[in-house]
Amino acid sequence: MQSTNAPLAGHAAIVTGASSGIGLSVAEAIADAGAAVAVNYHSHAEAAEALVSRIQAKGGRALAVQADVAEEAEVVRMFDEAAAAFGRIDLLVANSGVQKDAAIAEMSLEDWNTVIGINLTGQFLCAREAVKRFRAQPEQDRPARSAGAIITMSSVHEIIPWAGHINYASAKGGVRMLTRSLAQEVAAEGIRVNAVAPGAIRTPINKEAWDSQEALEKLLRLIPYGRIGEPEDVARAVVWLASDAADYVTGTTLFVDGGMSLYPEFRDNG
């Protein structure tokens, strides 16, 4: 049985896009919960190495792994490096994401393909590799009740349309069905697959939405709970979903959004 103080003790995890924002907070929280963590990054090596050093200073196990999650060979290499370091893989948090926003008439095919490639195809490649690794690991060596857990990072925009961000919203809608379809496919093998859907979180990717008082006030009109989210809000949800406390949870999306997905414009009856 997992300890409440270290609910992920004995686990080995990969967190993609973990050198900043939500991914960084998730990787650190997973390490604090007892797991060994492979901190994936694409281009911010210093931030990833600094996180690894912080985890190690607290007595945890971590390593930084560079990989582009949209490239099949690099995803396989990332899993190979993590498995070589930790002996197994029990948890994937497929977090890598990017925005390249434009109205549809001005959106280039390159920007469409980049966002779909990282935000959706990258999640598919990582999830596929995780399933392969989970299947190959002896049942008696499992640190949890499940054979492995996959947590995809979605968004409130898996259900809320977002004009001017059609590539991002399309990718997140795809993540919703990837999560549900994969969960249906592998549940009988004891593999759990869930998504976390953040709303407005204070990260560099959306800095323009909260960096001034005027922008923040405008944003808060969309959040019934009355505050912007912090990366730690998402990280705590991920740790719970990854642990045995959520063992009967699969194929669902956990919204961490302060009520943004409740369509707050209708609070006054529309």
Side-chain angles (χ1 to χ4, degrees), residues 44 72 229:
H44 297 97
E72 183 175 29

Side-chain angles (χ1 to χ4, degrees), residues 28 39 45-64:
E28 190 158 18
V39 176
E46 290 184 4
E49 293 289 358
L51 174 57
V52 168
S53 295
R54 286 203 304 277
I55 292 171
Q56 292 174 338
K58 291 186 283 187
R61 299 173 65 200
L63 95 149

Side-chain angles (χ1 to χ4, degrees), residues 1-268:
M1 185 174 179
Q2 294 174 337
S3 164
T4 55
N5 294 324
L8 300 181
H11 289 63
I14 294 175
V15 182
T16 67
S19 61
S20 67
I22 289 173
L24 188 152
S25 186
V26 165
E28 190 158 18
I30 285 173
D32 288 344
V37 183
V39 176
N40 163 253
Y41 67 95
H42 180 241
S43 55
H44 297 97
E46 290 184 4
E49 293 289 358
L51 174 57
V52 168
S53 295
R54 286 203 304 277
I55 292 171
Q56 292 174 338
K58 291 186 283 187
R61 299 173 65 200
L63 95 149
V65 183
Q66 193 281 332
D68 181 346
V69 298
E71 297 294 332
E72 183 175 29
E74 294 193 30
V75 168
V76 174
R77 175 180 56 76
M78 175 177 66
F79 274 80
D80 284 343
E81 290 185 23
F86 304 139
R88 58 184 298 109
I89 302 295
D90 305 289
L91 169 63
L92 165 68
V93 182
N95 168 78
S96 291
V98 66
Q99 285 182 225
K100 290 186 175 293
D101 307 326
I104 190 164
E106 285 76 48
M107 183 175 290
S108 68
L109 178 60
E110 180 182 4
D111 284 353
W112 168 271
N113 284 338
T114 296
V115 171
I116 297 297
I118 294 171
N119 295 20
L120 182 56
T121 303
Q123 297 223 19
F124 155 71
L125 291 171
C126 290
R128 184 183 66 177
E129 193 62 26
V131 168
K132 291 179 180 180
R133 306 290 171 138
F134 297 161
R135 286 172 170 168
Q137 293 170 163
E139 182 175 351
Q140 64 271 19
D141 294 339
R142 295 177 185 172
R145 294 180 68 181
S146 69
I150 296 170
I151 299 172
T152 61
M153 196 60 65
S154 188
S155 163
V156 292
H157 296 293
E158 73 167 41
I159 60 169
I160 300 176
W162 202 12
H165 306 75
I166 195 168
N167 48 4
Y168 185 87
S170 296
K172 294 305 183 179
V175 168
R176 173 180 172 85
M177 290 311 298
L178 183 155
T179 301
R180 291 164 63 85
S181 298
L182 179 57
Q184 184 188 66
E185 182 173 329
V186 300
E189 300 175 67
I191 298 171
R192 297 192 299 113
V193 188
N194 292 289
V196 172
I201 307 296
R202 197 191 309 268
T203 65
I205 197 172
N206 64 355
K207 186 176 181 180
E208 72 283 353
W210 53 261
D211 200 31
S212 70
Q213 187 62 33
E214 181 182 0
L216 182 59
E217 288 176 1
K218 182 178 179 181
L219 177 63
L220 291 179
R221 291 199 290 270
L222 300 176
I223 307 172
Y225 197 60
R227 72 169 175 89
I228 190 171
E230 303 296 341
E232 293 76 17
D233 292 311
V234 181
R236 286 189 290 268
V238 169
V239 169
W240 177 76
L241 269 180
S243 74
D244 274 354
D247 184 62
Y248 201 50
V249 180
T250 194
T252 195
T253 297
L254 175 57
F255 286 84
V256 183
D257 69 349
M260 180 178 273
S261 55
L262 300 177
Y263 295 91
E265 294 86 348
F266 285 84
R267 281 177 287 189
D268 298 320

